[in-house]
Amino acid sequence: MVQTLNREYIKVQLERLKKHDTGKSLDILPFLANKNKPIKGKFNNILGEYIRNITGIKENSLKGKKRDFYISSEDNETSELIADEVKITNDDDRYDFVRFLNQYLFNQKEIKPIHPFLFNYIKVDKAKQNEYGKYARFMNEVLVEDNEEIKAIFSNKETEDILTELILNKLDTLQGNLEKKSVDFKSNHYQPLLPSLSKQYQEDMIYLSQFKDYFLTSFPMLTNFYAFMYVCQLSFKFEQFTEADFDSTQPLYFSLEWETVSKRRKVVEGLEGYKYIRGNSSNLFPHIHTISQLSHNTLNEPFDENEKIPFITYSELLKQIQGQGKEYEKAFLSELKQWIKEYSLWANVDIPDHSNTIPEAFKVLFHCLKAGTNSDVAKKYGENIEDLGSPFLKSRGNSGKVFNVKHDFLLLITAVSVKNKRMPLNELFVEFEKRGIAFDRYSKKEIITLFDNHNILDKKSDSGDAQYVKPILF
C-alpha cells in the first residue's frame, strides 16, 4: 500500500509528550491555553517588539552607553545631550529646553513615538516577553510578510521638522551602529494562511503612512483590528472544513457603537456575527491539532527532524490528495481511518467512524480530537480571540457581545478604503467587506447620517449609486 500519513511520527510524539502537540507543523496562532490574558486591553504594549520584528533592529542596540533610553527623569541623559547639541549657554534657558524635551519626548518611562522610527524604542515588559514576543512575531509573519515598503516606514528617519531631525540624529550618535537581527524568512514560526487579508493590511498601512501625524495615532488600532479579523477568519473557515476558501475574506456583521441593536439584527444572529465565532472558539484548539496531524504526510516533504513543515488546511490537503489520483486517494483514506482508530485508543475516546470519503474522515478525526482534548484547555485557548478583539466588541445585554465599530475606527477604515478619490457609497461598503466588515441596512443608514454630518458625503439623490464619499485625509 502507498504510504500517505506519517502515523508513526504522530503516535511517537503523542506518547512521548503525553499531550497534544503540533509536531513539525508551522504554528498558526500565538495563543496560550493558560489563565493569563497578556493581550486583553494591552495591545499597544507589544508595538515596540512588533516594529523591531519588522525592521530587524535588536532591542539591545537601542541603548546609550550610560543608561537605557527608556528611562525618563528631570536629568534625562538623552534630553541633556540633545540640549548640548543646540549649545544653549544660558542656564535657565537650557533648563527650560531640557524640561520641554522630557515632556515632548517621554511619557513617564517610555519614549513617545513622535516619528515612526521611534516605535523601535518602545520597550517590552520583561515579565511578558514570551507572550508579547509571540504576538509580535505572529503579526509580522502573517500580516507584513517581509513587505519592504512597510519595513521602510519604520526604518527611515526622514522628517520635515528640525526638532525631530535633531532628536533622531542625536539618538544615532548615542547608539552608534544599529545591530540588525539575522532574519531568515524561510524559517518563520508562523504560516500565513489568508493572503487576501494580509495584502489588504499592507495596502492600508502603506497608504496611511503618507499622513504622519494621523498614522502615528491610528496604525496601532488598524493593526489590532487586522490581527483580530485574521483570527476570526481562521476560526470561521476551519468550521467549513474542505469547503473553506482561504483566498477570500468572509464579511462578518458589525454594529455601530451608538446605535440600538435588536435581537433580530444580523449582527446578533448566529451565522455571520461574533456569536458564531464565540460559539465555536473552543473548536480552534482541536482544529489546529487535527490539521497539524494531517499535515504530517508524504505530500508534505521534505520531512526532516530539524525542519518545519507547512500547515496544510483541510481544503488544500484534499485538493493535493485528489491531484495524486484515485489510488493515492484510496490509500490516504485507508490510512486516515487507521489513524482514527489508533488515536481513539490513545485518547480513550469512542467516536463512531462511518466515513466513506476523505472529507467525512477529516470531520471524524476532528471530533475525536475534540473529545480527546481537555475541555478547559480548549476553552481557555479560544478565549484568546475575545481578549485580542476586545476594542472591537461590545456587550449588548441579553444578546451578548457583538462585533462593534466605534466612531474613530469607522472614520479610519473609511479613510483607508476611499483613499485619494471620492468613491460611490455602495462601493465603499464593498471595500468594508474586503476587510471583513459587513453592515446591515440599519447600520448603513446610520453611517450615511454620520457622513452627512461630517460633510464627507456628496449626496446627489437618495439612490446609493448617486452618493459619493469624499476622501477624508486629503
Side-chain angles (χ1 to χ4, degrees), residues 273-290:
Y274 183 65
K275 184 177 180 180
Y276 183 83
I277 302 299
R278 188 179 191 182
N280 291 297
S281 61
S282 61
N283 288 346
L284 194 56
F285 185 92
H287 270 305
I288 288 173
H289 284 271
T290 301

Side-chain angles (χ1 to χ4, degrees), residues 360-407:
E360 290 172 352
F362 284 171
K363 291 181 180 180
V364 173
L365 180 59
F366 163 74
H367 287 295
C368 287
L369 264 86
K370 185 175 181 179
T373 299
N374 182 293
S375 59
D376 195 40
V377 168
K379 180 175 179 291
K380 288 176 181 175
Y381 188 89
E383 286 173 350
N384 284 279
I385 301 176
E386 190 161 303
D387 294 340
L388 177 61
S390 57
F392 307 98
L393 298 171
K394 181 176 181 177
S395 179
R396 294 286 186 172
N398 293 334
S399 298
K401 290 187 177 180
V402 301
F403 287 121
N404 182 65
V405 170
K406 295 180 180 178
H407 180 271

Side-chain angles (χ1 to χ4, degrees), residues 71-126:
I71 301 303
S72 174
S73 64
E74 285 298 315
D75 61 342
N76 180 273
E77 179 190 25
T78 309
S79 300
E80 293 281 352
L81 290 170
I82 291 172
D84 288 343
E85 192 75 11
V86 180
K87 296 181 173 59
I88 301 175
T89 55
N90 183 285
D91 288 343
D92 289 341
D93 291 344
R94 176 187 172 85
Y95 174 82
D96 289 340
F97 183 61
V98 169
R99 186 176 179 184
F100 162 76
L101 286 175
N102 283 332
Q103 295 174 345
Y104 178 70
L105 192 55
F106 292 91
N107 179 16
Q108 296 179 349
K109 292 187 177 181
E110 289 188 355
I111 199 164
K112 289 180 185 177
I114 58 172
H115 183 279
F117 182 79
L118 293 180
F119 278 99
N120 285 285
Y121 283 83
I122 298 177
K123 67 177 179 178
V124 63
D125 185 346
K126 298 302 179 185

Side-chain angles (χ1 to χ4, degrees), residues 183-347:
V183 181
D184 177 8
F185 289 95
K186 292 182 180 179
S187 60
N188 283 1
H189 286 195
Y190 298 93
Q191 181 174 330
L193 292 175
L194 299 166
S196 178
L197 195 67
S198 299
K199 294 301 179 187
Q200 195 65 67
Y201 170 73
Q202 293 164 26
E203 177 188 306
D204 289 352
M205 280 282 284
I206 292 165
Y207 172 75
L208 202 60
S209 67
Q210 299 176 58
F211 312 94
K212 190 194 104 176
D213 291 339
Y214 188 57
F215 177 81
L216 293 175
T217 59
S218 60
F219 107 82
M221 185 194 305
L222 187 73
T223 302
N224 193 170
F225 167 75
Y226 269 100
F228 174 51
M229 180 52 64
Y230 185 96
V231 175
C232 291
Q233 292 290 317
L234 284 189
S235 177
F236 189 93
K237 291 180 185 298
F238 286 159
E239 292 300 315
Q240 294 178 313
F241 288 90
T242 56
E243 300 300 314
D245 177 8
F246 284 82
D247 292 324
S248 66
T249 299
Q250 171 66 40
L252 301 170
Y253 278 92
F254 283 69
S255 63
L256 303 166
E257 172 84 10
W258 58 91
E259 67 175 323
T260 303
V261 174
S262 69
K263 290 184 178 180
R264 295 180 180 272
R265 298 277 296 276
K266 287 184 177 181
V267 70
V268 175
E269 292 176 351
L271 297 178
E272 297 170 282
Y274 183 65
K275 184 177 180 180
Y276 183 83
I277 302 299
R278 188 179 191 182
N280 291 297
S281 61
S282 61
N283 288 346
L284 194 56
F285 185 92
H287 270 305
I288 288 173
H289 284 271
T290 301
I291 300 173
S292 294
Q293 288 186 6
L294 292 170
S295 295
H296 290 82
N297 62 69
T298 54
L299 295 177
N300 209 8
E301 294 182 333
F303 184 75
D304 184 87
E305 186 64 28
N306 299 313
E307 193 174 312
K308 286 283 189 178
I309 61 173
F311 178 98
I312 307 179
T313 61
Y314 298 118
S315 50
E316 177 60 26
L317 181 55
L318 177 62
K319 185 191 304 181
Q320 291 188 20
I321 292 168
Q322 291 175 337
Q324 297 299 306
K326 292 294 183 183
E327 183 182 348
Y328 188 91
E329 189 173 349
K330 182 179 179 182
F332 197 102
L333 177 59
S334 176
E335 284 214 43
L336 178 51
K337 288 174 74 68
Q338 180 60 34
W339 172 242
I340 289 170
K341 291 179 183 178
E342 292 176 15
Y343 174 82
S344 297
L345 285 173
W346 178 85

